[in-house]
Amino acid sequence: MQAPTIEYGTLAPMLLVFGAAVLGVLVEAFAPRYLRKVMQVPLTLVSLGGAFALVLVQVIMRGAPTEAVAMGAVAVDGPALFIWGVILVLSFVCVLLVNDEGHFVASAAAVPGSADEEEAEAAGSGHTEIYPLLLFAVGGMMLFPAAHDLLTMFVGLEVMSLPLYLMCGLARRRRLLSQEASMKYFLLGAFSSAFFLYGTAMLYGYAGTVSLPGINKALAGGALLDPLLLIGFAMLGVGLLFKIGAAPFQAWKPDVYQGAPTPITALMASGTLVAAMGAVLRVFWVGLGNLDWNWRPVMWAVAALTMIVGAVLAITQTDIKRMLAYSSIAHAGFLLIGVMATFDKSQQNAGSLSAILFYLLVYSFTTVGAFAIVTMVRDPGGEAGHLSRWAGLGKRSPVLAGVFAFFLLAFAGIPLTSGFFGKYAVFAAALASGSESGDSLGGWMTGLVVLGVVASAVAAFFYVRVIVLMFFSEPAADGPSIAEPSMGTVAVIAVAALVTVGVGLFPQPMLDVAHQAAANLFIR
C-alpha cells in the first residue's frame, strides 16, 4: 500500500506564512533588540507578498486542485484560493498600519501608568513580537476556511484566534480599555471554541467521522432528526456564527473593536471576517448540505436578526469604532443572505458563491481604509473616538474627510461605489436562487432581501449622519489634530480608495475573477 503524500506545492502559500512566523519567533529569541524591527518588518512583508505570488502561480500555472490534499485534511479549491489571495493582500496592507509608530505599548507586562511603563517608553522599546503573532494569525486565517475536516478546522480556528487575543491587549493608549477588550475576546472566544469542539464531538458520534464529505454522506442515508446530529449542528453553528459576529452572538464585536489597537481592529474586521465566512460556506455547503431543510429556517432568522441588530444599534453609537463594529454586524447579515442562496446545490450556487466572494473582497478593502483614517484623527489622549470630536473635520482636513465620506457611502451601498455592486450581487443571487427553487423558498428569499434593503436604508442614516457632522458642523476650538501620515498609512488609504472607486466604476473584471473562483464550487 502506497504511503499518503502531502502536496507541498499546493500548500506552499500557507506553509510559507507559517515558516515565516516560526522564523520571526527565532528572531525575537536570539536577535539583539535594536535589530528586531529591522528584521521583522521585511520578513513579514516579504513572506506575505511571496505567499500571494504563490497563490497566483497556483491559479495561473496549475489551476485549482480537484481533490483534497494533506491526506484529505485541506481542500485548496477555487473559493479557498480566492479567499487566500484576499486575506494575504489585506494582511499585507494591515502590516503597513501596524508598522506605523504609536499604536502599541512598549511593555505589555508593565502595569498601566507605572514606573516600569514609563521606563520602557523612555527606552524606546517596542513590541516587535507583533509581527510573528500576526503571521500566525494569518496562517490560521488561511487554514480555517480551507479545512476539509472539523478537527483541522478547529486547529485553524485556534491558531487564528489566540494571537488576536494577545494583540488586542497591546494598545499604547487607553491600556485598561485595551486589556479589557483582550480579556472579553479571550473569554467569549474560548466559550465559542468550546461550542465548536463539542459540536464536532456530537457530529462524530452521529456520522463516525469528522470529515466534511463523510458527514454529508452520513446525512444522505441517516436519520435527519437524530439528537446527536441536531445538537452537534446547533453547537457547531454557534462557534462559526460567533466568528463572523452574527446576532445573537455579536456582543464581543463592539467592545473588542473599540479597545483593540486600530490596526488589529482593521485586521479582524477584514481578514477574520473573510476567513470565518469561508469556513461557514464550507461547513454548510460540503458538510451539512443534505441537512438544508433543517438549517435553512434557522439561518433565515439569524440573517434577519443580524441585519436588524447591526443597523438599529449602530444609530445609538457615539464612538466611531463601535459604530463601524455594528456596521460590520449588519454586513455579516447581508453576507448570510448569500449563504441562504447556496442551499439548493444547483448550478445557481456558483452565482451565489461568486457574489459572496465578491462582497467579501470589496467590503474588506473599504473597511481597512476606513480604519486607517481613524488612526489619523487624534486627541491628546490618542485617537479621537467620540463622534462629537469629528465635527467640522471636513473644514480642517477636507481631503481626509472626503475619502472617509466616500468609504461610508460605499458601506451604505450608494451607486458608483464597490459597496453598491457587492450588495446588488448578493441580493440578485438570492432572488434568483429563490425563483429557481420551485418551492416556498422564493417567498422566504424575497422577504429576506426586502429586509436587507430596509436595513441598508437604516444603515445609510448613520453613515450620512457622520458625513453631515464632518462637513456641516463647525469645528471646535480644541478639536482633534490630524496626524502626519506615514508612507504606509498613505499607501493603505490609497489602495482601499482605488479598489472602492475602481470596482465601483468597473466591477465586471473583479466579478469575473470571483465567478471563475466559484465555477468549480467546493471540493466534496
Side-chain angles (χ1 to χ4, degrees):
M1 180 177 179
Q2 186 177 2
T5 59
I6 298 177
E7 292 287 342
Y8 290 105
T10 302
L11 298 174
M14 184 170 62
L15 295 177
L16 176 59
V17 172
F18 278 125
V22 173
L23 185 58
V25 172
L26 296 178
V27 169
E28 285 298 311
F30 299 107
R33 180 177 292 276
Y34 66 91
L35 284 179
R36 290 176 189 173
K37 187 167 185 179
V38 176
M39 299 174 68
Q40 292 284 21
V41 175
L43 173 64
T44 304
L45 293 176
V46 169
S47 62
L48 293 174
F52 180 73
L54 290 174
V55 171
L56 293 181
V57 170
Q58 173 72 39
V59 172
I60 296 172
M61 302 297 294
R62 302 176 62 186
T66 56
E67 295 183 356
V69 296
M71 294 173 284
V74 181
V76 189
D77 42 32
L81 287 171
F82 185 92
I83 289 171
W84 279 11
V86 173
I87 289 173
L88 289 168
V89 175
L90 292 171
S91 304
F92 188 95
V93 298
C94 286
V95 169
L96 299 179
L97 286 180
V98 168
N99 188 45
D100 202 359
E101 296 294 335
H103 292 300
F104 296 95
V105 66
S107 176
V111 176
S114 66
D116 290 339
E117 184 179 48
E118 294 178 2
E119 182 180 349
E121 293 280 358
S125 302
H127 257 299
T128 50
E129 61 265 34
I130 287 290
Y131 298 99
L133 285 173
L134 188 145
L135 285 174
F136 275 117
V138 173
M141 292 177 194
M142 296 175 71
L143 179 60
F144 190 37
H148 206 48
D149 65 65
L150 293 178
L151 282 183
T152 304
M153 187 171 287
F154 177 75
V155 172
L157 171 64
E158 292 305 294
V159 174
M160 173 183 72
S161 301
L162 290 174
L164 291 175
Y165 300 154
L166 292 173
M167 291 187 289
C168 283
L170 299 180
R172 183 175 184 179
R173 308 284 185 176
R174 299 175 180 144
R175 289 282 311 285
L176 293 177
L177 184 64
S178 176
Q179 292 174 354
E180 179 187 355
S182 177
M183 182 58 69
K184 286 181 178 178
Y185 194 19
F186 169 70
L187 292 176
L188 293 176
F191 197 58
S192 71
S193 295
F195 271 96
F196 185 97
L197 194 58
Y198 199 68
T200 298
M202 293 290 105
L203 290 176
Y204 178 78
Y206 170 80
T209 179
V210 293
S211 167
L212 293 177
I215 294 172
N216 193 56
K217 184 178 180 181
L219 287 171
L224 297 183
L225 295 180
D226 189 294
L228 286 177
L229 171 63
L230 297 180
I231 294 173
F233 155 71
M235 291 191 167
L236 195 68
V238 169
L240 290 171
L241 293 173
F242 173 89
K243 283 302 172 185
I244 67 172
F249 315 110
Q250 84 296 342
W252 65 274
K253 252 191 178 182
D255 292 337
V256 174
Y257 278 29
Q258 182 184 16
T262 302
I264 303 305
T265 303
L267 179 65
M268 290 190 295
S270 56
T272 302
L273 177 65
V274 173
M277 186 55 66
V280 169
L281 286 168
R282 188 172 297 279
V283 167
F284 281 93
W285 189 303
V286 180
L288 302 177
N290 287 324
L291 193 63
D292 49 33
W293 277 103
N294 293 48
W295 64 257
R296 188 173 65 186
V298 176
M299 188 63 73
W300 194 100
V302 170
L305 182 62
T306 302
M307 290 186 292
I308 293 171
V309 168
V312 173
L313 292 186
I315 298 175
T316 66
Q317 302 306 309
T318 58
D319 184 271
I320 190 70
K321 291 172 73 174
R322 292 183 70 87
M323 187 202 76
L324 291 175
Y326 279 105
S327 168
S328 173
I329 293 169
H331 283 279
F334 300 144
L335 286 164
L336 289 176
I337 295 178
V339 175
M340 278 286 296
T342 66
F343 91 99
D344 58 1
K345 297 181 286 299
S346 69
Q347 186 59 36
Q348 182 61 41
N349 270 347
S352 304
L353 180 57
S354 66
I356 295 174
L357 296 178
F358 177 78
Y359 195 116
L360 287 171
L361 171 71
V362 297
Y363 169 74
S364 298
F365 275 95
T366 305
T367 299
V368 171
F371 280 110
I373 291 178
V374 170
T375 66
M376 296 176 57
V377 184
R378 305 279 182 86
D379 269 341
E383 295 167 359
H386 201 279
L387 285 177
S388 63
R389 305 296 291 163
W390 288 62
L393 185 65
K395 299 178 181 178
R396 288 180 178 270
S397 181
V399 174
L400 189 70
V403 175
F404 190 69
F406 188 75
F407 289 149
L408 293 178
L409 293 176
F411 287 141
I414 301 301
L416 299 183
T417 66
S418 59
F420 169 77
F421 289 103
K423 289 184 179 179
Y424 176 81
V426 169
F427 291 167
L431 290 174
S433 178
S435 64
E436 293 289 333
S437 65
D439 57 17
S440 61
L441 176 68
W444 285 86
M445 293 305 298
T446 300
L448 196 58
V449 170
V450 170
L451 185 59
V453 173
V454 173
S456 298
V458 174
F461 169 78
F462 58 81
Y463 295 134
V464 172
R465 182 184 65 175
V466 177
I467 296 174
V468 171
L469 186 68
M470 291 191 298
F471 288 97
F472 298 98
S473 298
E474 290 298 324
D478 61 342
S481 61
I482 306 301
E484 186 70 24
S486 66
M487 292 299 296
T489 302
V490 172
V492 171
I493 296 173
V495 169
L498 181 63
V499 172
T500 304
V501 174
V503 177
L505 296 176
F506 305 102
Q508 196 57 49
M510 196 53 63
L511 283 169
D512 291 340
V513 172
H515 184 73
Q516 183 179 359
N520 295 324
L521 307 180
F522 288 101
I523 293 175
R524 305 191 64 142

